[in-house]
Amino acid sequence: QRRMKSDDFVIKSGCTYINHGFYARQIKVFLKYFDKSSLKIIFYEDIKKDSRKVIEDIYSFLKIDQNYIPEFKKHNKSGKVKSKFLQRFLFGDSKIKKYLVNQVLPKIISDEKKAILRWKIINLNVSNKKETVNIDKALIEKYNLVFHDDINELEHITNRDLSHWKKVPNIH
């Protein structure tokens, strides 16, 4: 929220969460150029519920060998950050970090191992403990109104009932 209130154009232009949420609007751009039958729309909730079935559906859609099943494991776990200092260091723009990343590490390890090391540090810095986020019910209702028409269009495009996207969850 602090970024959204910023007067800095670069910071604010990176905050496009709302626009990215208009899925039907984005899909309609593709439908201007491609037939609907050449587009595969996948919902995250389906991946979460049965990722193996989603992969099989994708393979079938692409007409590729369905015998290969990839290994399913979480790569981008979420949770509470253990060290805010380490998090700022990893994602910040400090001179020390630039020196280490650009001068020291290339002399010690390959770019591939550097990337692996970075992800290991990031994952070690995240606890499995979920951070509780309280969202104001009025804010949820506001954004339900913002996205309401787009969700209706998405239902039409995908022939899928998305009424659960329009409900205000019970918040205590």
Side-chain angles (χ1 to χ4, degrees):
Q1 196 170 24
R2 182 184 48 173
R3 290 184 292 172
M4 291 301 287
K5 291 180 181 178
S6 172
D7 291 331
D8 186 318
F9 174 75
V10 174
I11 291 171
K12 204 167 199 166
S13 65
C15 299
T16 58
Y17 307 113
I18 306 275
N19 285 331
H20 288 159
F22 291 105
Y23 302 129
R25 181 188 302 167
Q26 295 173 59
I27 291 168
K28 284 168 52 180
V29 172
F30 284 97
L31 292 175
K32 284 182 185 178
Y33 304 100
F34 301 100
D35 186 73
K36 189 175 178 180
S37 65
S38 64
L39 200 60
K40 178 72 175 167
I41 299 169
I42 301 167
F43 290 84
Y44 173 73
E45 57 201 45
D46 295 335
I47 295 171
K48 194 171 179 182
K49 184 172 71 178
D50 191 351
S51 53
R52 187 173 299 269
K53 182 183 180 327
V54 171
I55 290 292
E56 290 170 0
D57 289 348
I58 292 169
Y59 287 179
S60 175
F61 178 77
L62 295 173
K63 296 175 178 53
I64 59 175
D65 182 12
Q66 294 183 28
N67 293 322
Y68 170 74
I69 302 296
E71 181 182 345
F72 295 100
K73 63 181 185 178
K74 291 183 181 181
H75 289 280
N76 189 10
K77 71 177 183 178
S78 63
K80 188 174 174 107
V81 171
K82 293 177 186 175
S83 167
K84 290 184 181 184
F85 169 79
L86 183 57
Q87 190 78 356
R88 279 193 305 271
F89 179 78
L90 289 170
F91 293 102
D93 202 25
S94 75
K95 290 180 182 179
I96 296 169
K97 175 190 165 192
K98 283 182 183 177
Y99 176 75
L100 287 172
V101 170
N102 297 328
Q103 304 297 321
V104 176
L105 286 179
K107 294 174 183 171
I108 302 170
I109 59 175
S110 68
D111 285 344
E112 181 182 351
K113 288 187 179 180
K114 188 169 60 172
I116 291 168
L117 177 64
R118 181 175 188 263
W119 280 109
K120 283 186 179 184
I121 293 170
I122 288 169
N123 281 317
L124 285 171
N125 194 38
V126 176
S127 74
N128 289 330
K129 182 181 175 189
K130 297 289 182 192
E131 193 169 0
T132 303
V133 178
N134 293 317
I135 303 172
D136 181 37
K137 193 171 183 174
L139 188 63
I140 292 172
E141 289 172 349
K142 173 186 172 184
Y143 286 109
N144 276 347
L145 287 174
V146 168
F147 291 117
H148 186 268
D149 291 343
D150 193 78
I151 294 170
N152 286 340
E153 276 190 80
L154 187 61
E155 285 179 319
H156 178 74
I157 292 169
T158 62
N159 295 320
R160 184 165 172 165
D161 176 18
L162 299 173
S163 56
H164 60 285
W165 287 20
K166 302 174 199 174
K167 293 179 182 173
V168 177
N170 292 328
I171 299 174
H172 305 288

mmCIF file of all heavy atoms in Angstrom, residues 40 42-59 66 68-74:
data_model
loop_
_atom_site.group_PDB
_atom_site.id
_atom_site.type_symbol
_atom_site.label_atom_id
_atom_site.label_comp_id
_atom_site.label_asym_id
_atom_site.label_seq_id
_atom_site.Cartn_x
_atom_site.Cartn_y
_atom_site.Cartn_z
ATOM 1 N N LYS A 40 -5.704 -22.117 -24.522
ATOM 2 C CA LYS A 40 -5.956 -22.969 -23.349
ATOM 3 C C LYS A 40 -5.921 -22.069 -22.125
ATOM 4 O O LYS A 40 -4.892 -21.481 -21.806
ATOM 5 C CB LYS A 40 -4.895 -24.070 -23.248
ATOM 6 C CG LYS A 40 -5.028 -24.969 -22.043
ATOM 7 C CD LYS A 40 -6.204 -25.893 -22.183
ATOM 8 C CE LYS A 40 -6.253 -26.885 -21.027
ATOM 9 N NZ LYS A 40 -7.529 -27.557 -20.986
ATOM 10 N N ILE A 42 -6.147 -21.730 -18.149
ATOM 11 C CA ILE A 42 -5.935 -22.566 -16.969
ATOM 12 C C ILE A 42 -6.137 -21.707 -15.727
ATOM 13 O O ILE A 42 -5.601 -20.603 -15.638
ATOM 14 C CB ILE A 42 -4.517 -23.159 -16.976
ATOM 15 C CG1 ILE A 42 -4.321 -23.992 -18.245
ATOM 16 C CG2 ILE A 42 -4.259 -23.987 -15.733
ATOM 17 C CD1 ILE A 42 -2.896 -24.359 -18.519
ATOM 18 N N PHE A 43 -6.879 -22.236 -14.775
ATOM 19 C CA PHE A 43 -7.125 -21.533 -13.525
ATOM 20 C C PHE A 43 -6.184 -22.063 -12.448
ATOM 21 O O PHE A 43 -5.995 -23.276 -12.315
ATOM 22 C CB PHE A 43 -8.577 -21.720 -13.073
ATOM 23 C CG PHE A 43 -9.568 -20.997 -13.939
ATOM 24 C CD1 PHE A 43 -10.046 -21.567 -15.104
ATOM 25 C CD2 PHE A 43 -10.022 -19.738 -13.582
ATOM 26 C CE1 PHE A 43 -10.957 -20.899 -15.908
ATOM 27 C CE2 PHE A 43 -10.933 -19.054 -14.371
ATOM 28 C CZ PHE A 43 -11.397 -19.635 -15.541
ATOM 29 N N TYR A 44 -5.635 -21.147 -11.675
ATOM 30 C CA TYR A 44 -4.716 -21.522 -10.600
ATOM 31 C C TYR A 44 -5.371 -22.497 -9.626
ATOM 32 O O TYR A 44 -4.751 -23.448 -9.170
ATOM 33 C CB TYR A 44 -4.211 -20.280 -9.856
ATOM 34 C CG TYR A 44 -3.393 -20.626 -8.638
ATOM 35 C CD1 TYR A 44 -2.103 -21.137 -8.767
ATOM 36 C CD2 TYR A 44 -3.908 -20.485 -7.361
ATOM 37 C CE1 TYR A 44 -1.353 -21.481 -7.660
ATOM 38 C CE2 TYR A 44 -3.171 -20.827 -6.240
ATOM 39 C CZ TYR A 44 -1.892 -21.321 -6.398
ATOM 40 O OH TYR A 44 -1.156 -21.670 -5.301
ATOM 41 N N GLU A 45 -6.633 -22.274 -9.338
ATOM 42 C CA GLU A 45 -7.324 -23.142 -8.384
ATOM 43 C C GLU A 45 -7.354 -24.594 -8.879
ATOM 44 O O GLU A 45 -7.338 -25.528 -8.075
ATOM 45 C CB GLU A 45 -8.728 -22.626 -8.075
ATOM 46 C CG GLU A 45 -9.610 -22.461 -9.294
ATOM 47 C CD GLU A 45 -10.773 -21.499 -9.080
ATOM 48 O OE1 GLU A 45 -10.564 -20.418 -8.507
ATOM 49 O OE2 GLU A 45 -11.887 -21.848 -9.500
ATOM 50 N N ASP A 46 -7.365 -24.797 -10.206
ATOM 51 C CA ASP A 46 -7.321 -26.155 -10.760
ATOM 52 C C ASP A 46 -5.931 -26.765 -10.597
ATOM 53 O O ASP A 46 -5.797 -27.950 -10.315
ATOM 54 C CB ASP A 46 -7.713 -26.155 -12.236
ATOM 55 C CG ASP A 46 -9.156 -25.743 -12.451
ATOM 56 O OD1 ASP A 46 -9.971 -25.918 -11.503
ATOM 57 O OD2 ASP A 46 -9.478 -25.242 -13.534
ATOM 58 N N ILE A 47 -4.919 -25.944 -10.792
ATOM 59 C CA ILE A 47 -3.542 -26.417 -10.605
ATOM 60 C C ILE A 47 -3.353 -26.840 -9.156
ATOM 61 O O ILE A 47 -2.776 -27.887 -8.874
ATOM 62 C CB ILE A 47 -2.526 -25.317 -10.985
ATOM 63 C CG1 ILE A 47 -2.613 -25.007 -12.477
ATOM 64 C CG2 ILE A 47 -1.104 -25.726 -10.598
ATOM 65 C CD1 ILE A 47 -1.814 -23.794 -12.898
ATOM 66 N N LYS A 48 -3.855 -26.028 -8.259
ATOM 67 C CA LYS A 48 -3.710 -26.319 -6.830
ATOM 68 C C LYS A 48 -4.474 -27.593 -6.446
ATOM 69 O O LYS A 48 -3.988 -28.398 -5.663
ATOM 70 C CB LYS A 48 -4.215 -25.120 -6.028
ATOM 71 C CG LYS A 48 -3.838 -25.142 -4.583
ATOM 72 C CD LYS A 48 -4.199 -23.824 -3.919
ATOM 73 C CE LYS A 48 -3.845 -23.875 -2.456
ATOM 74 N NZ LYS A 48 -4.194 -22.681 -1.745
ATOM 75 N N LYS A 49 -5.656 -27.766 -7.033
ATOM 76 C CA LYS A 49 -6.512 -28.907 -6.688
ATOM 77 C C LYS A 49 -5.971 -30.218 -7.276
ATOM 78 O O LYS A 49 -5.914 -31.234 -6.588
ATOM 79 C CB LYS A 49 -7.942 -28.651 -7.187
ATOM 80 C CG LYS A 49 -8.937 -29.737 -6.798
ATOM 81 C CD LYS A 49 -10.355 -29.359 -7.131
ATOM 82 C CE LYS A 49 -10.571 -29.377 -8.628
ATOM 83 N NZ LYS A 49 -11.925 -29.059 -9.027
ATOM 84 N N ASP A 50 -5.553 -30.197 -8.553
ATOM 85 C CA ASP A 50 -5.100 -31.428 -9.208
ATOM 86 C C ASP A 50 -4.118 -31.077 -10.331
ATOM 87 O O ASP A 50 -4.475 -31.088 -11.516
ATOM 88 C CB ASP A 50 -6.303 -32.199 -9.761
ATOM 89 C CG ASP A 50 -5.962 -33.607 -10.217
ATOM 90 O OD1 ASP A 50 -4.758 -33.958 -10.265
ATOM 91 O OD2 ASP A 50 -6.895 -34.362 -10.546
ATOM 92 N N SER A 51 -2.889 -30.781 -9.948
ATOM 93 C CA SER A 51 -1.885 -30.339 -10.924
ATOM 94 C C SER A 51 -1.590 -31.410 -11.970
ATOM 95 O O SER A 51 -1.348 -31.098 -13.133
ATOM 96 C CB SER A 51 -0.609 -29.884 -10.218
ATOM 97 O OG SER A 51 -0.142 -30.882 -9.346
ATOM 98 N N ARG A 52 -1.625 -32.657 -11.570
ATOM 99 C CA ARG A 52 -1.356 -33.741 -12.526
ATOM 100 C C ARG A 52 -2.404 -33.745 -13.646
ATOM 101 O O ARG A 52 -2.073 -33.885 -14.820
ATOM 102 C CB ARG A 52 -1.327 -35.086 -11.818
ATOM 103 C CG ARG A 52 -0.892 -36.238 -12.708
ATOM 104 C CD ARG A 52 -0.708 -37.512 -11.908
ATOM 105 N NE ARG A 52 0.297 -37.393 -10.885
ATOM 106 C CZ ARG A 52 1.596 -37.683 -11.051
ATOM 107 N NH1 ARG A 52 2.015 -38.103 -12.202
ATOM 108 N NH2 ARG A 52 2.442 -37.541 -10.062
ATOM 109 N N LYS A 53 -3.673 -33.565 -13.291
ATOM 110 C CA LYS A 53 -4.736 -33.532 -14.303
ATOM 111 C C LYS A 53 -4.562 -32.322 -15.219
ATOM 112 O O LYS A 53 -4.756 -32.428 -16.437
ATOM 113 C CB LYS A 53 -6.114 -33.502 -13.639
ATOM 114 C CG LYS A 53 -7.250 -33.526 -14.656
ATOM 115 C CD LYS A 53 -8.605 -33.433 -14.002
ATOM 116 C CE LYS A 53 -9.754 -33.456 -14.949
ATOM 117 N NZ LYS A 53 -9.585 -32.860 -16.248
ATOM 118 N N VAL A 54 -4.180 -31.180 -14.666
ATOM 119 C CA VAL A 54 -3.965 -29.978 -15.480
ATOM 120 C C VAL A 54 -2.840 -30.227 -16.481
ATOM 121 O O VAL A 54 -2.968 -29.882 -17.662
ATOM 122 C CB VAL A 54 -3.666 -28.745 -14.597
ATOM 123 C CG1 VAL A 54 -3.240 -27.558 -15.442
ATOM 124 C CG2 VAL A 54 -4.887 -28.385 -13.753
ATOM 125 N N ILE A 55 -1.755 -30.852 -16.034
ATOM 126 C CA ILE A 55 -0.641 -31.168 -16.933
ATOM 127 C C ILE A 55 -1.121 -32.095 -18.052
ATOM 128 O O ILE A 55 -0.803 -31.887 -19.225
ATOM 129 C CB ILE A 55 0.536 -31.815 -16.160
ATOM 130 C CG1 ILE A 55 1.216 -30.792 -15.257
ATOM 131 C CG2 ILE A 55 1.551 -32.453 -17.108
ATOM 132 C CD1 ILE A 55 1.962 -29.690 -15.971
ATOM 133 N N GLU A 56 -1.883 -33.119 -17.706
ATOM 134 C CA GLU A 56 -2.412 -34.045 -18.713
ATOM 135 C C GLU A 56 -3.294 -33.308 -19.720
ATOM 136 O O GLU A 56 -3.231 -33.571 -20.922
ATOM 137 C CB GLU A 56 -3.168 -35.189 -18.045
ATOM 138 C CG GLU A 56 -2.262 -36.149 -17.302
ATOM 139 C CD GLU A 56 -3.012 -37.153 -16.426
ATOM 140 O OE1 GLU A 56 -4.269 -37.117 -16.377
ATOM 141 O OE2 GLU A 56 -2.334 -37.973 -15.776
ATOM 142 N N ASP A 57 -4.125 -32.378 -19.229
ATOM 143 C CA ASP A 57 -4.977 -31.583 -20.120
ATOM 144 C C ASP A 57 -4.140 -30.712 -21.053
ATOM 145 O O ASP A 57 -4.464 -30.568 -22.235
ATOM 146 C CB ASP A 57 -5.930 -30.692 -19.319
ATOM 147 C CG ASP A 57 -7.033 -31.467 -18.618
ATOM 148 O OD1 ASP A 57 -7.224 -32.666 -18.920
ATOM 149 O OD2 ASP A 57 -7.697 -30.867 -17.744
ATOM 150 N N ILE A 58 -3.074 -30.133 -20.530
ATOM 151 C CA ILE A 58 -2.191 -29.296 -21.355
ATOM 152 C C ILE A 58 -1.526 -30.154 -22.433
ATOM 153 O O ILE A 58 -1.474 -29.772 -23.606
ATOM 154 C CB ILE A 58 -1.131 -28.581 -20.487
ATOM 155 C CG1 ILE A 58 -1.792 -27.534 -19.593
ATOM 156 C CG2 ILE A 58 -0.046 -27.942 -21.365
ATOM 157 C CD1 ILE A 58 -0.875 -26.952 -18.524
ATOM 158 N N TYR A 59 -1.007 -31.324 -22.033
ATOM 159 C CA TYR A 59 -0.368 -32.229 -22.995
ATOM 160 C C TYR A 59 -1.356 -32.619 -24.094
ATOM 161 O O TYR A 59 -1.009 -32.649 -25.273
ATOM 162 C CB TYR A 59 0.144 -33.480 -22.304
ATOM 163 C CG TYR A 59 1.370 -33.285 -21.443
ATOM 164 C CD1 TYR A 59 1.911 -34.345 -20.741
ATOM 165 C CD2 TYR A 59 1.998 -32.050 -21.323
ATOM 166 C CE1 TYR A 59 3.036 -34.194 -19.943
ATOM 167 C CE2 TYR A 59 3.116 -31.887 -20.529
ATOM 168 C CZ TYR A 59 3.638 -32.957 -19.843
ATOM 169 O OH TYR A 59 4.743 -32.815 -19.065
ATOM 170 N N GLN A 66 1.758 -37.804 -23.489
ATOM 171 C CA GLN A 66 1.211 -37.661 -22.145
ATOM 172 C C GLN A 66 1.860 -38.612 -21.148
ATOM 173 O O GLN A 66 1.491 -38.651 -19.993
ATOM 174 C CB GLN A 66 -0.302 -37.887 -22.166
ATOM 175 C CG GLN A 66 -1.034 -36.816 -22.945
ATOM 176 C CD GLN A 66 -2.537 -36.998 -22.899
ATOM 177 O OE1 GLN A 66 -3.063 -37.552 -21.955
ATOM 178 N NE2 GLN A 66 -3.215 -36.510 -23.906
ATOM 179 N N TYR A 68 5.031 -38.527 -20.161
ATOM 180 C CA TYR A 68 5.990 -37.834 -19.298
ATOM 181 C C TYR A 68 5.225 -37.038 -18.256
ATOM 182 O O TYR A 68 4.422 -36.173 -18.569
ATOM 183 C CB TYR A 68 6.893 -36.899 -20.097
ATOM 184 C CG TYR A 68 7.724 -36.012 -19.215
ATOM 185 C CD1 TYR A 68 8.811 -36.524 -18.516
ATOM 186 C CD2 TYR A 68 7.403 -34.668 -19.030
ATOM 187 C CE1 TYR A 68 9.567 -35.730 -17.683
ATOM 188 C CE2 TYR A 68 8.166 -33.858 -18.193
ATOM 189 C CZ TYR A 68 9.237 -34.397 -17.526
ATOM 190 O OH TYR A 68 9.980 -33.604 -16.685
ATOM 191 N N ILE A 69 5.480 -37.334 -17.009
ATOM 192 C CA ILE A 69 4.857 -36.582 -15.916
ATOM 193 C C ILE A 69 5.996 -35.925 -15.128
ATOM 194 O O ILE A 69 6.863 -36.610 -14.592
ATOM 195 C CB ILE A 69 4.029 -37.491 -14.983
ATOM 196 C CG1 ILE A 69 2.927 -38.219 -15.764
ATOM 197 C CG2 ILE A 69 3.439 -36.695 -13.826
ATOM 198 C CD1 ILE A 69 1.870 -37.325 -16.372
ATOM 199 N N PRO A 70 6.002 -34.600 -15.076
ATOM 200 C CA PRO A 70 7.086 -33.904 -14.365
ATOM 201 C C PRO A 70 6.988 -34.114 -12.855
ATOM 202 O O PRO A 70 5.947 -34.513 -12.331
ATOM 203 C CB PRO A 70 6.855 -32.441 -14.726
ATOM 204 C CG PRO A 70 5.406 -32.349 -15.047
ATOM 205 C CD PRO A 70 5.018 -33.684 -15.619
ATOM 206 N N GLU A 71 8.075 -33.824 -12.188
ATOM 207 C CA GLU A 71 8.096 -33.891 -10.725
ATOM 208 C C GLU A 71 7.379 -32.658 -10.186
ATOM 209 O O GLU A 71 7.637 -31.542 -10.621
ATOM 210 C CB GLU A 71 9.550 -33.900 -10.239
ATOM 211 C CG GLU A 71 9.698 -33.994 -8.756
ATOM 212 C CD GLU A 71 11.166 -33.956 -8.339
ATOM 213 O OE1 GLU A 71 12.043 -34.144 -9.189
ATOM 214 O OE2 GLU A 71 11.400 -33.719 -7.159
ATOM 215 N N PHE A 72 6.460 -32.875 -9.267
ATOM 216 C CA PHE A 72 5.710 -31.763 -8.690
ATOM 217 C C PHE A 72 6.275 -31.440 -7.313
ATOM 218 O O PHE A 72 6.182 -32.246 -6.396
ATOM 219 C CB PHE A 72 4.223 -32.125 -8.549
ATOM 220 C CG PHE A 72 3.535 -32.334 -9.867
ATOM 221 C CD1 PHE A 72 3.320 -33.602 -10.363
ATOM 222 C CD2 PHE A 72 3.125 -31.248 -10.616
ATOM 223 C CE1 PHE A 72 2.694 -33.799 -11.578
ATOM 224 C CE2 PHE A 72 2.491 -31.425 -11.832
ATOM 225 C CZ PHE A 72 2.278 -32.705 -12.317
ATOM 226 N N LYS A 73 6.875 -30.265 -7.189
ATOM 227 C CA LYS A 73 7.314 -29.801 -5.881
ATOM 228 C C LYS A 73 7.252 -28.284 -5.860
ATOM 229 O O LYS A 73 7.350 -27.633 -6.891
ATOM 230 C CB LYS A 73 8.709 -30.311 -5.526
ATOM 231 C CG LYS A 73 9.816 -29.852 -6.433
ATOM 232 C CD LYS A 73 11.135 -30.473 -5.970
ATOM 233 C CE LYS A 73 12.287 -29.922 -6.788
ATOM 234 N NZ LYS A 73 13.556 -30.447 -6.362
ATOM 235 N N LYS A 74 7.067 -27.757 -4.666
ATOM 236 C CA LYS A 74 6.931 -26.311 -4.520
ATOM 237 C C LYS A 74 8.292 -25.655 -4.655
ATOM 238 O O LYS A 74 9.253 -26.051 -4.000
ATOM 239 C CB LYS A 74 6.317 -25.959 -3.169
ATOM 240 C CG LYS A 74 4.881 -26.355 -3.044
ATOM 241 C CD LYS A 74 4.299 -25.917 -1.725
ATOM 242 C CE LYS A 74 2.851 -26.350 -1.628
ATOM 243 N NZ LYS A 74 2.232 -25.925 -0.392
#
